[in-house]
């Protein structure tokens, strides 16, 4: 049922106008639902909390929220202020321009980005003034602790891989490509970000042209495609900058995940690599084979931090620096460890933990003279058993779990002079909100106080499905955790159509995530049971479990899917075994295409979003070639092939279309350069040529995700129209 959204309309005076005019500003929706069942329109009316930060004295918190207009097909980013207990919330953004990336300059002043420039305002939103003048080129910023300098991210033209067209052909649209990595995620690589250091003068005015930290270097910082300011950090004395960079281009870049942490001396402009010795020389590699078996990952070379190293943070006293570190080159899903390095000596140690460190922050007492062995040194987030919880590592490196909820904690930072933790949390039944967490003292338990209720005005009108947890035996003698979501209108004794959810990644957790597309409560609102297994290959169950999927995409993990849906059909009284569907995106889309050839008539409908269909083509189509090398072992043209590669290519879904017999919906974005749209088109074409009922939903302007509001609504309507046709 359609809902009507009433968007807040604010009157404002347009700068430069001769008279007051009115303009629509996208804000919090005053939405009145006509039923208790969630709809796509209600989902898109929800505010989405972004970045946030506590004031130095802990007395205020500034945070960012994004609101979406389906009618205008765009978003509006705004800033709020509140007290640390959640009271006194005040909207600071009054105009139609986006305001983002809030950062405290002192206890009374907040800096932010609007119109591509850095501005500042008082904590009540008054006394706004522009600090930078870069012709609207600011893409990120970070002030030094003493406020004498600021890092500004700007994009520069880049023609190492795509050559610049002749100046006398200004309307030419062709691109002359000379090497790999000419596309990344959803764009052609014709510019790269560099960090510039600017001087901050009187009144916080940002002066001069700035100094490029990577002057003359053809490398990006932060790293594509998702890196941000978290990949840079100031030392407490404001003299040094730590930054993340993968200093490779072209073919070398496309086959390697080897990024490093560098220290840049602001005064001398000298740069030092904390990950590798100055005389380090990377071993030569075969770009068509997995790096797992090559010299770069030999035991004697792993000490040189040859994997992903990123997101540095200095200790409060500046003596140490910590970052997230993966051990092996070419493996994007290696164990994400916490590496701690002595800045002076370069000595390193790694936190001994069983799962990935998703985010972390230093405790304020770390390395002080009065520190005790039991005092906290780090707080961090990590997924275990399908939930991302909060942990503490003490000075003696003992780890204590601080939260044990069925939730995903998604961000973490210190607040209130280190007495509390400001964090964000979500679940399969609740979008992101902010919390103030007080670590346990003596025998007291961890205290958690919710301080934002961004979407309560919508959530309070909705009836959600109940979530359950099961541990299901697998064919290799282990057990997999399976989340089960009941329909929101569930009635005991009834049977319901049921969806098997296939996770992407292939090594992303089926945890307590809240999605604005793959939303389990949306599926529950449409009358479906959701079966979501944590199959082999997912994090949060030990590294051995996670790594069993590499080179075995069609083995144990597929049996885990079938085990989960068979368990549901056989053991759960509310599951209708005659109305089963399988849905998924990315690796989940690949899973759907493969299951379509082996399911033995279990399912009545399939939906695959951005899935790999033809692995031979996928090997050379994708832009991050390290992924295919590690997952497949080697290129498809090698003969004889290694056993895992032979199995992978022989079991590609496109070779099993002969066994397809079930209606399928294929969805793909044409700006998806990770898994190209030809994969979805090929699957759809094959289904129709075989006479199978099929549909194709193609988005010319979307990437691996669907980000535009009206496209998101179309996605949801098409998704459920197709399922309802075949399962109801």
């Amino acid at each position: 049922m359609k809902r009507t959204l009433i968007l807040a309309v604010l009157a404002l005076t347009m700068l430069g106008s001769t008279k007051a005019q009115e303009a629509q500003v996208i804000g919090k929706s005053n939405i009145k639902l006509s039923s208790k069942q969630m709809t796509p329109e209600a989902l898109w009316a929800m505010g989405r909390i972004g970045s946030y930060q506590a004031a130095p004295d802990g007395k205020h918190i500034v945070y960012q929220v994004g609101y979406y207009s389906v009618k205008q097909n765009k978003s509006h980013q705004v800033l709020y202020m509140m007290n640390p207990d959640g009271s006194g919330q005040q909207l600071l953004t009054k105009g139609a321009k986006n305001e983002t990336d809030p950062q405290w300059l002192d206890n009374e002043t907040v800096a932010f980005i609007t119109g591509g420039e850095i501005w500042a305002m008082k904590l009540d939103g008054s006394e706004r003034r522009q600090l930078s003048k870069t012709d609207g080129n600011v893409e990120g910023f970070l002030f030094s602790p003493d406020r004498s300098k600021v890092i500004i991210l700007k994009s520069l033209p880049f023609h190492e891989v795509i050559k610049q067209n002749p100046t006398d052909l200004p309307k030419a649209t062709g691109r002359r490509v000379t090497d790999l990595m000419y596309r990344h995620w959803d764009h052609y690589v014709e510019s790269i970000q560099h960090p510039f250091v600017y001087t901050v003068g009187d009144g916080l005015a940002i002066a001069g042209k700035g100094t490029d930290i990577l002057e003359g270097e053809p490398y990006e910082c932060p790293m594509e495609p998702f890196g941000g300011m978290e990949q840079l950090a100031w030392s407490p004395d404001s003299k040094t900058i730590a930054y993340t960079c993968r200093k490779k281009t072209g073919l070398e870049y496309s086959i390697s995940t080897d990024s490093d942490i560098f220290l840049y001396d602001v005064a001398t402009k000298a740069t030092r690599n904390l990950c590798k010795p100055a005389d380090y020389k990377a071993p030569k590699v075969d770009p068509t084979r997995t790096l797992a078996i090559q010299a770069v990952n030999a035991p004697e070379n792993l000490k040189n931090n040859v994997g992903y190293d990123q997101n540095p943070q200095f200790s409060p006293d500046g003596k140490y620096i910590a970052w997230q570190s993966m051990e092996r080159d070419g493996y994007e899903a290696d164990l994400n460890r916490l590496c701690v390095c002595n800045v002076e000596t370069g000595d390193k140690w790694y936190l001994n933990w069983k799962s990935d460190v998703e985010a972390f922050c230093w405790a304020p007492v770390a390395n002080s003279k009065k520190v005790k062995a039991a005092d906290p040194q780090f707080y961090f987030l990590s997924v275990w058993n399908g939930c991302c919880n909060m942990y503490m590592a003490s000075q003696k490196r003992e780890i204590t779990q601080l939260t044990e909820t069925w939730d995903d904690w998604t961000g973490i930072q210190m607040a209130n002079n280190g007495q509390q933790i400001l964090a964000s949390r979500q679940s399969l039944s609740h979008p992101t909100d902010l919390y103030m967490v007080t670590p346990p003292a003596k025998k007291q338990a961890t205290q958690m106080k919710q301080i934002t209720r961004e979407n309560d005005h919508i959530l309070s009108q909705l009836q959600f499905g109940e979530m359950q947890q099961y541990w299901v035996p697998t064919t290799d003698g282990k057990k997999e955790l399976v989340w089960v979501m009941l329909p929101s209108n569930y009635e005991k004794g009834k049977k319901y159509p049921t969806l098997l959810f296939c996770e992407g990644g292939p090594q992303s957790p089926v945890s307590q995530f809240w999605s604005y597309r793959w939303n389990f409560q949306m599926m529950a609102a449409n009358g479906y049971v959701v079966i979501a297994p944590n199959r082999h290959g997912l994090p949060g169950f030990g590294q051995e479990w996670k790594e069993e999927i590499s080179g075995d995409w069609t083995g144990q993990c597929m049996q885990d899917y079938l085990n989960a849906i068979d368990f549901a059909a056989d053991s759960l009284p509310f599951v209708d075994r005659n109305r089963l569907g399988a849905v998924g995106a990315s690796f989940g889309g690949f899973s759907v295409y493969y299951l379509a050839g082996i399911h033995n008539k279990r399912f009545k409908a399939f939906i695959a979003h951005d899935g790999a269909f033809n692995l031979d083509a996928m090997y050379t189509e994708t832009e991050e070639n390290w992924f295919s090398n590690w997952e497949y072992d080697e290129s498809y043209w090698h003969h004889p092939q290694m056993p895992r590669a032979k199995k992978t290519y022989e079991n590609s879904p496109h070779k099993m279309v002969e066994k397809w017999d079930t209606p399928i919906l294929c969805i793909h974005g044409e700006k998806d350069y990770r898994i190209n749209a030809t994969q979805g088109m090929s699957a759809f074409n094959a289904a129709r040529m075989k006479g199978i009922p099929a549909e194709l939903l193609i988005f010319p302007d979307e990437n691996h995700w669907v980000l535009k509001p009206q496209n998101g609504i179309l996605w949801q309507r098409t998704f459920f129209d197709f399922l309802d046709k075949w399962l109801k």
Side-chain angles (χ1 to χ4, degrees):
M1 185 179 297
K2 294 182 179 179
R3 309 285 190 259
T4 301
L5 298 183
I6 305 174
L7 295 175
V9 179
L10 306 177
L12 69 155
T13 300
M14 305 299 287
L15 295 177
S17 178
T18 57
K19 61 179 182 178
Q21 300 176 356
E22 289 189 349
Q24 276 198 334
V25 176
I26 304 169
K28 182 174 287 191
S29 301
N30 300 313
I31 183 172
K32 181 67 175 177
L33 305 183
S34 58
S35 83
K36 294 182 178 180
Q37 305 307 311
M38 180 154 51
T39 64
E41 290 80 3
L43 190 65
W44 278 89
M46 294 181 183
R48 307 184 190 186
I49 293 178
S51 58
Y52 51 89
Q53 193 176 66
D57 63 4
K59 294 182 179 180
H60 295 91
I61 294 169
V62 62
Y63 65 102
Q64 177 182 329
V65 182
Y67 297 111
Y68 288 78
S69 166
V70 174
K71 182 178 180 180
Q72 297 181 49
N73 203 32
K74 65 180 183 180
S75 67
H76 186 209
Q77 302 294 320
V78 303
L79 301 180
Y80 282 92
M81 188 71 64
M82 66 178 173
N83 298 323
D85 62 359
S87 64
Q89 289 185 351
Q90 176 187 359
L91 176 63
L92 302 179
T93 303
K94 305 299 183 182
K97 286 186 176 181
N98 289 328
E99 297 184 349
T100 65
D101 304 272
Q103 180 184 147
W104 289 94
L105 297 182
D106 54 45
N107 291 322
E108 302 291 329
T109 311
V110 175
F112 60 98
I113 295 177
T114 186
E117 299 291 358
I118 304 173
W119 285 62
M121 61 181 167
K122 293 299 183 182
L123 56 83
D124 62 357
S126 65
E127 298 184 30
R128 290 168 174 257
R129 63 191 188 280
Q130 184 175 336
L131 303 184
S132 67
K133 294 181 180 180
T134 67
D135 296 324
N137 292 320
V138 176
E139 297 170 357
F141 72 98
L142 187 65
F143 278 83
S144 61
D146 65 5
R147 305 298 183 253
S148 67
K149 308 170 198 69
V150 62
I151 301 169
I152 293 180
L153 295 183
K154 297 193 296 184
S155 287
L156 302 175
F158 180 71
H159 298 293
E160 289 284 323
V161 173
I162 301 176
K163 297 304 179 184
Q164 187 171 12
N165 282 340
T167 56
D168 63 334
L169 300 176
K171 295 184 179 180
T173 59
R175 292 181 171 96
R176 182 185 172 193
V177 178
T178 61
D179 207 342
L180 296 186
M181 229 52 225
Y182 54 93
R183 302 196 303 186
H184 209 161
W185 188 248
D186 60 3
H187 61 279
Y188 282 85
V189 181
E190 296 174 287
S191 66
I192 54 174
Q193 280 188 330
H194 272 200
F196 290 75
V197 179
Y198 284 79
T199 299
V200 178
D202 295 339
L204 298 173
I206 298 170
K209 295 182 179 180
T211 300
D212 186 352
I213 292 177
L214 294 172
E215 179 70 38
E217 297 187 61
Y219 314 118
E220 65 197 24
C221 176
M223 296 190 301
E224 293 267 27
F226 308 123
M229 291 307 306
E230 74 283 351
Q231 294 195 353
L232 299 101
W234 282 99
S235 61
D237 62 7
S238 302
K239 295 179 179 180
T240 306
I241 296 169
Y243 69 89
T244 308
C245 192
R246 179 164 52 232
K247 297 200 172 183
K248 301 175 184 291
T249 61
L251 173 63
E252 274 194 319
Y253 185 115
S254 77
I255 61 172
S256 173
T257 59
D258 184 6
S259 58
D260 294 323
I261 304 300
F262 296 86
L263 288 186
Y264 174 83
D265 187 295
V266 176
T268 66
K269 302 181 183 179
T271 300
R272 171 186 164 203
N273 190 335
L274 289 181
C275 293
K276 296 176 173 63
D279 60 351
Y280 176 77
K281 261 192 165 182
K284 290 184 178 181
V285 300
D286 180 347
T288 65
R289 284 205 159 105
T290 176
L291 296 185
I293 60 173
Q294 300 195 49
V296 68
N297 283 317
E300 64 272 15
N301 200 44
L302 293 181
K303 63 183 180 181
N304 294 309
N305 292 74
V306 296
Y308 264 129
D309 292 276
Q310 56 184 333
N311 305 338
Q313 294 184 32
F314 282 92
S315 62
D317 61 6
K319 294 180 180 179
Y320 298 88
I321 187 168
W323 64 82
Q324 291 161 287
S325 175
M326 295 187 186
E327 185 176 42
R328 290 167 286 181
D329 192 7
Y331 188 22
E332 67 170 6
D334 206 352
L335 181 66
N336 213 359
R337 310 167 298 173
L338 185 65
C339 175
V340 183
C341 177
N342 184 306
V343 174
E344 182 178 351
T345 67
D347 294 337
K348 304 182 187 75
W349 61 268
Y350 298 88
L351 187 65
N352 183 20
W353 180 237
K354 59 189 176 182
S355 191
D356 296 327
V357 174
E358 302 290 346
F360 74 97
C361 63
W362 286 87
V365 298
N367 307 309
S368 70
K369 293 181 180 179
K370 298 180 181 180
V371 69
K372 299 177 182 178
D375 286 340
Q377 185 174 22
F378 296 101
Y379 296 104
F380 67 94
L381 306 179
S382 185
V383 173
W384 191 252
N385 286 351
C387 299
C388 189
N389 274 298
M390 189 179 300
Y391 299 82
M392 183 195 81
S394 72
Q395 293 291 327
K396 57 181 179 179
R397 305 176 194 175
E398 293 182 346
I399 296 173
T400 304
Q401 185 169 345
L402 300 183
T403 64
E404 298 184 50
T405 57
W406 278 7
D407 295 289
D408 273 5
W409 293 87
T410 58
I412 184 170
Q413 60 182 256
M414 299 311 304
N416 293 338
N417 295 317
Q419 301 304 305
Q420 292 180 302
I421 301 167
L422 176 59
S424 49
R425 189 175 90 173
Q426 61 181 228
S427 75
L428 288 169
S429 300
H430 200 287
T432 299
D433 267 310
L434 300 183
Y435 287 75
M436 197 64 79
V437 178
T438 305
K442 296 181 180 180
K443 295 183 179 181
Q444 294 180 348
T446 302
Q447 302 296 312
M448 297 172 285
K449 178 179 176 58
Q450 185 176 344
I451 59 175
T452 62
R453 299 186 178 275
E454 176 57 39
N455 294 298
D456 276 13
H457 62 296
I458 297 176
L459 298 174
S460 62
Q461 302 179 63
L462 295 172
Q463 178 177 310
F464 276 177
E466 175 191 342
M467 184 179 62
Q468 300 178 350
Q469 183 192 80
Y470 298 88
W471 288 88
V472 178
T474 58
T475 57
D476 63 346
K478 301 176 183 177
K479 290 184 178 181
E480 62 177 326
L481 182 152
V482 178
W483 297 114
V484 174
M485 184 74 72
L486 298 183
S488 57
N489 59 353
Y490 172 73
E491 294 181 29
K492 189 174 181 179
K494 285 190 175 182
K495 289 184 178 292
Y496 295 88
T498 299
L499 303 177
L500 173 69
F501 172 75
C502 302
E503 178 59 79
Q507 290 152 304
S508 300
V510 181
S511 55
Q512 287 292 309
F513 64 91
W514 176 269
S515 171
Y516 286 92
R517 185 168 68 259
W518 292 93
N519 189 286
F520 289 5
Q521 289 293 355
M522 180 69 73
M523 299 175 197
N526 280 271
Y528 291 93
V529 174
V530 183
I531 308 298
N534 275 273
R535 50 150 176 86
H536 280 71
L538 301 187
F541 304 91
Q543 194 66 9
E544 180 182 354
W545 177 279
K546 185 171 75 168
E547 294 195 2
E548 285 185 9
I549 197 169
S550 294
D552 191 26
W553 280 18
T554 58
Q556 186 60 52
C557 64
M558 293 300 165
Q559 292 305 311
D560 291 349
Y561 282 140
L562 295 177
N563 281 0
I565 199 65
D566 288 347
F567 160 80
D570 294 340
S571 305
L572 302 180
F574 43 81
V575 170
D576 188 340
R577 68 165 56 251
N578 296 313
R579 294 187 290 167
L580 304 179
V583 301
S586 196
F587 180 83
F590 163 86
S591 301
V592 168
Y593 289 142
Y594 183 75
L595 289 172
I598 68 163
H599 71 111
N600 196 22
K601 299 189 182 299
R602 285 177 173 86
F603 299 103
K604 297 298 189 295
F606 291 110
I607 298 180
H609 179 127
D610 289 353
F613 170 68
N614 182 332
L615 296 186
D616 292 47
M618 169 78 175
Y619 180 81
T620 49
E621 282 182 351
T622 192
E623 87 283 42
E624 292 184 346
N625 296 100
W626 63 78
F627 173 80
S628 297
N629 275 340
W630 194 277
E631 294 301 314
Y632 307 170
D633 269 359
E634 60 183 339
S635 69
Y636 62 83
W637 58 80
H638 279 180
H639 294 288
Q641 286 184 325
M642 289 186 279
R644 298 199 316 179
K646 184 177 181 180
K647 178 183 178 182
T648 296
Y649 291 116
E650 285 182 348
N651 289 328
S652 176
H654 81 285
K655 296 181 179 179
M656 306 181 69
V657 174
E658 182 182 357
K659 298 179 181 179
W660 284 17
D661 57 7
T662 304
I664 188 167
L665 167 62
C666 307
I667 307 174
H668 226 107
E670 288 193 75
K671 295 184 72 175
D672 182 357
Y673 302 150
R674 184 62 43 86
I675 300 176
N676 282 226
T678 51
Q679 297 279 321
M681 294 175 183
S682 296
F684 167 74
N685 293 352
R688 288 303 301 128
M689 292 178 74
K690 196 172 183 298
I692 294 172
E695 295 182 23
L696 173 67
L697 178 59
I698 193 78
F699 292 104
D701 55 348
E702 298 285 4
N703 56 32
H704 203 57
W705 302 327
V706 176
L707 303 177
K708 296 179 174 61
Q710 291 193 17
N711 283 342
I713 299 288
L714 177 62
W715 190 97
Q716 295 281 2
R717 291 180 184 175
T718 304
F719 185 89
F720 290 111
D721 283 349
F722 187 84
L723 291 176
D724 292 351
K725 180 178 180 178
W726 298 104
L727 298 182
K728 289 186 178 180

